Amino acid sequence: MSVRLKLTFSYVGLLVIAGALLLAVVVVFLLRYVPNEAVSVPISVPGVGREGGRDLFIPGRGDLWAAFAPRAAAAMGALLVFGLAGGWILAGRMLAPLDRITSATGQAAEGSLSHRIELSGRDDEFRQLADAFDAMLGRLETLVAEQRRFAANASHELRTPLAITQSLLDVARQDPEPDLGALLDRLQAVNARAIALTEALLTLSRAEQHVTSGEPVDLSLLAEEATELLLPLAEERGIALRVSGHVSRAVGSRALLAQMTANLVQNGIVHNLAQDGAVRVTTGAEDGWAILTVENTGPAVAPELVAKLTEPFQRGAGRARSDHSGVGLGLAIVQAVVRAHGGTLRLEPIPGGGLSATVRLPGSSHGA
């Protein structure tokens, strides 16, 4: 049976039970004072005697029941018909919002995520359900659009090294005396870039999964490890690395948090001044949150560019050094790791030039 029919029968059942109880009260508490058998009582007037020889007839329970039962049955029948008609109409009106939600669900199942229910009226359970469904459709539409854009960008990025390799091989095949050493060096560089991109894509995919369990991780130790690992790169580019702060314990995956920290430090190094640049890494704790901040020098960063830096394959046009050939997934991986750990990432341009990246993660004592 449909939900509407079930609600109708439920409404009728309750109505009939209420009517039966009412009739039962009448029968039990009214007829109990009526004698079982009918009696005739002579009518007499004091001082006069019987008047006209008439008797007063007092009906018994059987007489009253015989007169009351057909009318009670008719009333119950009318109540049943009224309940069926009224219940069917009320159930239809109550379930009308579900029809709109069902229609929106069907359109979403067919791939149309732009449709919205936009249910009006009182803020009842159906309105809350419709609003929640609209919000879910909005998030799904955004997610699908991001995934499609990411897939298109990823396919483009992966196609580029393959096309370059094919071009190098074609040129070498047509050259009667190819320089095999130079060809191998270029092929190795292109292959290394393709490997780096593939590994970055795999890391991003792993980082986007929510971390349900983890271990205590000190971000200050990860910051020291990252700066020590990237010190040769910083020295090669003339970048000064400075690490300071206090113990900053978060809870999560040590491998992912180490990747996050290394990406932030590396991003600060490669997107910096051509000379005499600096990267400052600080850690701390505040109100049960573990905080990691990476600041670097560099040219001024436009606010509209800052909002796009965490998108995949955004290489920070206008601020990246010309000798940097990253795959554009560094900050995207950082954002994914932070979200997987229930934290926040805030990017802010520094007055005078440079960028500040602040990560806030739930600490080991968060919520205690």
Side-chain angles (χ1 to χ4, degrees), residues 20-40:
L21 289 176
L22 183 60
L23 294 178
V25 169
V26 173
V27 171
V28 173
F29 293 97
L30 181 61
L31 296 184
R32 64 184 298 184
Y33 297 104
V34 178
N36 293 328
E37 302 294 337
V39 296
S40 297

Side-chain angles (χ1 to χ4, degrees), residues 156-169 181-199 315 325-327:
H156 172 75
E157 295 289 335
L158 288 172
R159 189 185 302 114
T160 299
L162 296 177
I164 294 175
T165 300
Q166 184 64 43
S167 299
L168 291 175
L169 293 176
L183 175 62
L184 292 176
D185 290 340
R186 297 188 66 181
L187 287 176
Q188 185 177 9
V190 173
N191 186 63
R193 175 177 172 80
I195 293 175
L197 175 59
T198 304
E199 291 178 347
R315 295 185 176 84
S325 58
V327 297

Side-chain angles (χ1 to χ4, degrees), residues 236-296:
E236 178 185 350
R237 296 168 178 264
I239 306 297
L241 291 181
R242 303 185 181 92
V243 183
S244 62
H246 305 281
V247 174
S248 179
R249 291 190 177 90
V251 177
S253 169
R254 179 179 179 84
L256 289 178
L257 293 178
Q259 182 73 49
M260 175 198 73
T261 307
N263 282 13
L264 286 175
V265 177
Q266 183 179 12
N267 187 78
I269 294 174
V270 299
H271 298 292
N272 215 306
L273 297 175
Q275 57 183 357
D276 299 329
V279 175
R280 295 176 295 274
V281 184
T282 58
T283 58
E286 179 182 347
D287 298 332
W289 293 84
I291 302 176
L292 170 67
T293 302
V294 179
E295 300 176 335
N296 70 324

Side-chain angles (χ1 to χ4, degrees), residues 82-95:
F82 174 78
L84 286 172
W88 181 260
I89 295 174
L90 289 177
R93 292 176 60 88
M94 291 178 60
L95 296 177

Side-chain angles (χ1 to χ4, degrees), residues 7-19 80 83:
L7 288 176
T8 301
F9 286 159
S10 299
Y11 178 77
V12 172
L14 291 176
L15 197 61
V16 170
I17 290 174
L80 179 61

